Amino acid sequence: MPDIATLILASGILLLLGIASNKLSTRIGVPVLLLFLLVGMLAGSEGVGGIDFEDYSLANAIGTIALCLILFDGGLRTSLKSIRSVWKPAAVLASLGVLITAVITGLAASWILKISILEGLLLGSIVGSTDASAVFSVLRSGGVCIRKRLAETLEVESGSNDPMAIFLTVGLIQLLTGAVAPGPALLGLFLTQLVVGSVAGILVGYGGVWGLKYIQLGAAGLYPVMATALALLSFGLAAVLDGSGFLAVYLTGIVIGNRRPVFHRGILLFHDAAAWICQILMFMTLGLLSFPSRLMDVAGVTLLIAAVLILVARPVAVFLCASWFRFSFHELLFLSWVGLKGAVPITLATFPMLAGLPGASVMFDTVFVVVLVSALIQGWTLPPAARLLKLEDPEQHPTPVTLEISSLRDIDGDIVDYYVEPGCRAAGRTLRELQFPAGVVVALIARDQEIIMPQGRFQIESGDHVIVVLRPALRTQVDQFFSRPSTSPEPEPGPEPKAESEAVNNSSIQNRPPQNP
């Protein structure tokens, strides 16, 4: 076994290779998960790295913890407004859609691989869910902004469909091992997973909101750590009580993220970094588990299964489940093509290995190849598919470059440093011409080495740093004034700003000590 220094060295090298893979992914449009997996494969026993790793139990533990933090980060960024607007189609796709996908794929796998129907359904369940981070990283790297309702449906569906795939996988494994009988016992398992996971997630979420608000930790770095502890608590509590830990941690993230806790921006930044580390670690670990020689043995039949999944199962599920919710034909086609697979299927493929099911290694290799095919074919074609189907949203525009100063107090206000880029809407205009809405005050402007106390007649120039005090609810509206040029219409001017003393309490500003964002 290598010593600790060698392990640390290898970890640092793999993380750097993962970061380089992400940069390469952005340049050539390949899904980053595919490159992470390839790096892991190259580092494995049959690659140039020569690392001998076949510990499925450890890989499952790493994958579970990583998915816990990734789902928590996804929940923190999922707005209740999005959920309210698309919860019906997203919920149907995340439950019935996963079931239909699993059944069609499973029946095909049973026939193609000459295995039992239950084993085929198990394989179909493992590959039934869609990966949220994979979908949106591909769209962002391709420079595509799709219609808002479509994007929100994908976000909520892909963020909430993992628990259904996990339940089906666990339930079928228990059927195959004789741990549970079909019928009421299996239904009871599903209801327990759903109810206990939901209750645990919501209770821990609201308890965490209270703790983040009223417990004065003093150090800014402890708030993200406390949020992480809440995520692990939520997952562990639900799992110990036989509920869905993944559903619980996702709901905890939603509750905390939408209640804007103290040091909210710092918590988001911390968990964004944690999610990236988890993705790199998880994909590379799963890549280490693979053996290219074994993958080649199942490549032929796996391509048939992948074709059924991509071209038949997912489209049938989407058209049956989403046609009732006023999506256009082009939107349904795009939803059908966005069944991109990620880390969850490969992590779930370790479950049959741990249960000791016969043929589990073939199932793992099959799932691995399915994920690679999905990432390569669907991932590479998502941006052009959105453009071909004319689903881009020209009204969306890039977020301006900002620096947010966070607070260790619970104050309903933000201080944001906007950098004025050349050609943005604010450049070349006076403050009076911009007419920010009430509740927004330009506190000062930094230009070169000079600090300027602005007045209504002062003209903003590109290169300025504009320090704005605003209510959090107005953040999106103010962002439009400092966004880069796009085809979206000019923001409607708000009413004349109120006096500064009415817009924000000066004592609140003083209670917001600068923190590193």
Side-chain angles (χ1 to χ4, degrees), residues 356-411:
L357 293 179
S361 61
V362 174
M363 191 172 296
F364 179 88
D365 295 336
T366 302
V367 170
F368 199 96
V369 175
V370 168
V371 171
L372 290 178
V373 171
S374 172
L376 187 61
I377 296 178
Q378 291 178 292
W380 220 327
T381 58
L382 273 187
R387 297 187 182 102
L388 179 65
L389 296 172
K390 296 181 172 57
L391 297 176
E392 291 182 279
D393 187 358
E395 300 300 317
Q396 296 189 28
H397 46 78
T399 302
V401 177
T402 65
L403 170 65
E404 183 170 336
I405 303 174
S406 299
S407 170
L408 297 184
R409 303 287 186 271
D410 186 30
I411 300 170

Side-chain angles (χ1 to χ4, degrees), residues 191-501:
L191 293 176
T192 301
Q193 289 265 311
L194 180 65
V195 174
V196 173
S198 300
V199 171
I202 293 173
L203 287 179
V204 173
Y206 278 104
V209 169
W210 182 90
L212 288 167
K213 180 177 182 179
Y214 291 107
I215 298 176
Q216 298 295 324
L217 298 178
L222 289 177
Y223 286 92
V225 175
M226 183 175 177
T228 304
L230 292 168
L232 299 177
L233 173 65
S234 175
F235 182 94
L237 179 63
V240 166
L241 298 176
D242 296 325
S244 171
F246 294 104
L247 176 60
V249 75
Y250 183 64
L251 291 176
T252 297
I254 290 175
V255 172
I256 292 176
N258 283 276
R259 299 294 292 182
R260 286 187 61 85
V262 175
F263 207 61
H264 180 246
R265 179 62 55 179
I267 291 174
L268 289 178
L269 290 172
F270 177 87
H271 282 94
D272 180 57
W276 273 111
I277 292 175
C278 287
Q279 285 191 72
I280 294 172
L281 179 63
M282 178 172 56
F283 284 126
M284 288 188 176
T285 301
L286 297 174
L288 287 171
L289 276 180
S290 67
F291 294 87
S293 58
R294 282 181 10 197
L295 298 182
M296 295 304 297
D297 293 337
V298 300
V301 292
T302 302
L303 289 176
L304 293 176
I305 297 173
V308 172
L309 173 63
I310 295 171
L311 300 177
V312 180
R314 171 71 180 182
V316 169
V318 167
F319 275 84
L320 287 178
C321 296
S323 298
W324 314 97
F325 299 103
R326 295 181 289 108
F327 287 104
S328 68
F329 181 71
H330 281 188
E331 288 175 329
L332 291 173
L333 284 178
F334 188 74
L335 283 171
S336 300
W337 193 246
V338 186
L340 194 61
K341 308 306 168 189
V344 174
I346 303 178
T347 301
L348 292 181
T350 63
F351 287 19
M353 301 287 291
L354 297 177
L357 293 179
S361 61
V362 174
M363 191 172 296
F364 179 88
D365 295 336
T366 302
V367 170
F368 199 96
V369 175
V370 168
V371 171
L372 290 178
V373 171
S374 172
L376 187 61
I377 296 178
Q378 291 178 292
W380 220 327
T381 58
L382 273 187
R387 297 187 182 102
L388 179 65
L389 296 172
K390 296 181 172 57
L391 297 176
E392 291 182 279
D393 187 358
E395 300 300 317
Q396 296 189 28
H397 46 78
T399 302
V401 177
T402 65
L403 170 65
E404 183 170 336
I405 303 174
S406 299
S407 170
L408 297 184
R409 303 287 186 271
D410 186 30
I411 300 170
D412 184 27
D414 289 330
I415 303 176
V416 184
D417 173 5
Y418 286 99
Y419 175 72
V420 182
E421 298 188 15
C424 84
R425 296 186 180 89
R429 295 192 179 185
T430 65
L431 294 178
R432 182 174 287 114
E433 289 173 338
L434 291 174
Q435 292 190 353
F436 292 115
V440 177
V441 173
V442 177
L444 62 89
I445 295 175
R447 177 177 294 170
D448 297 326
Q449 305 299 317
E450 184 181 4
I451 296 295
I452 301 167
M453 301 301 174
Q455 297 179 350
R457 295 187 300 274
F458 182 81
Q459 181 170 297
I460 298 173
E461 302 293 346
S462 61
D464 288 350
H465 284 268
V466 181
I467 312 299
V468 180
V469 183
L470 50 80
R471 302 293 185 194
L474 300 173
R475 174 68 178 269
T476 303
Q477 187 175 349
V478 177
D479 281 353
Q480 297 181 36
F481 291 92
F482 296 94
S483 296
R484 292 188 295 275
S486 71
T487 57
S488 58
E490 293 284 338
E492 291 294 329
E496 288 290 338
K498 296 182 181 179
E500 183 169 345
S501 59

